[in-house]
Amino acid sequence: MNRTLIIAEHDGQILNPATAKCVSCAAAIGFEYDIVVMGTGIGGITAQAAAIDGTSKVMGIDAEHLANPLAANHANEIAALADGYSHVLGPSTTYGKDLMPRVAALLGVNQVSDIMAVEGSHHFKRPVYAGNVIVDVAAPESVTLVATVRTASWKAAGQDGGNAAIENRPATSGPVEHSRFLGLQTEGGERPDLQTANRVVSGGRALGSEENFEMVYELADILGAGTGATRAAVDAGYCPNDMQVGQTGKIISPDLYIAFGISGAIQHVTGIKDAGTIVAVNKDPEAPIFEVADIGLVADLFNVIPEMKQLLS
């Protein structure tokens, strides 16, 4: 049967926008699509999923061992549910990158990673070499296709026009014994999630210290923005690892990305090239970041940030 199953990502209360982006990819593939929501007390989340445009059915699996995003438990449920679906899609978020390879292994198939465009039901484009090369991938039609969707490449489907049927199902598996969930910790506080934020303020090694990085946080709070950083800033200990943007960090696509003291190494640019508008502030007029920036300002960030805060406050 040609039908697509989409794995919903959520925090226990709100559906992650990455789910609606997976729906856009499923719509481009062209088959009817269902969404599965796993967790506990998920009635509100299944209702959010049912409202996404074009969704045929939402399946809710409420079980205690599925309450936390432990891929070892979730993968067993997805593998059991995959029978009857030609495609199984998950987001290329931290959760999806952990979950989907396990699903593929359980089904005995290869995974297609980071779908950025659909050329046919089993023909896709995906980036390689830090996004410098886009390759065509043709997957066999004889087996279930398991894939992650490059969320930075897709607009979210409408989330208020759908009216999908909701079907509650029991879990088909129990908790695994080899892994257990200890906790989920984020350094972002109340700021928007980096991978879903519409605005992101980022800093590089030029900030010089963890204390100076507070300037980035303060400006982000005024703008209601998420916060990001380069690998150099993370490695120097100025900010936590989960703020890293780039090839070995997070791939993001905010409407506005403001880069302070970031030179523009290709590894970082890979993570921001899908942003709507890129604003760069750097003292070096030859900094590579200006080649990709929509707006560039050659200036000292230690002067610019306070001025911006004053103007925006």
Side-chain angles (χ1 to χ4, degrees), residues 280-298:
V281 178
N282 199 297
K283 288 196 301 184
D284 181 7
E286 303 299 322
I289 190 71
F290 290 127
E291 296 178 9
V292 298
D294 299 286
I295 300 172
L297 177 61
V298 179

Side-chain angles (χ1 to χ4, degrees), residues 240-293:
N241 181 267
D242 63 0
M243 284 175 53
Q244 183 177 326
V245 174
Q247 182 181 3
T248 55
K250 294 177 179 177
I251 307 297
I252 61 175
S253 57
D255 296 331
L256 174 65
Y257 184 80
I258 308 178
F260 289 104
I262 294 175
S263 63
I266 185 61
Q267 291 86 353
H268 185 78
V269 171
T270 296
I272 64 171
K273 61 175 55 180
D274 292 302
T277 299
I278 299 174
V279 179
V281 178
N282 199 297
K283 288 196 301 184
D284 181 7
E286 303 299 322
I289 190 71
F290 290 127
E291 296 178 9
V292 298

Side-chain angles (χ1 to χ4, degrees), residues 57 65 71 73 82-83 88 105 118-119 165 169 234 244 248 254 263 281 296:
K57 178 174 62 177
H65 70 285
N73 282 332
D83 186 35
V88 180
V118 173
E119 302 294 313
R169 290 180 166 225
V234 170
Q244 183 177 326
T248 55
S263 63
V281 178

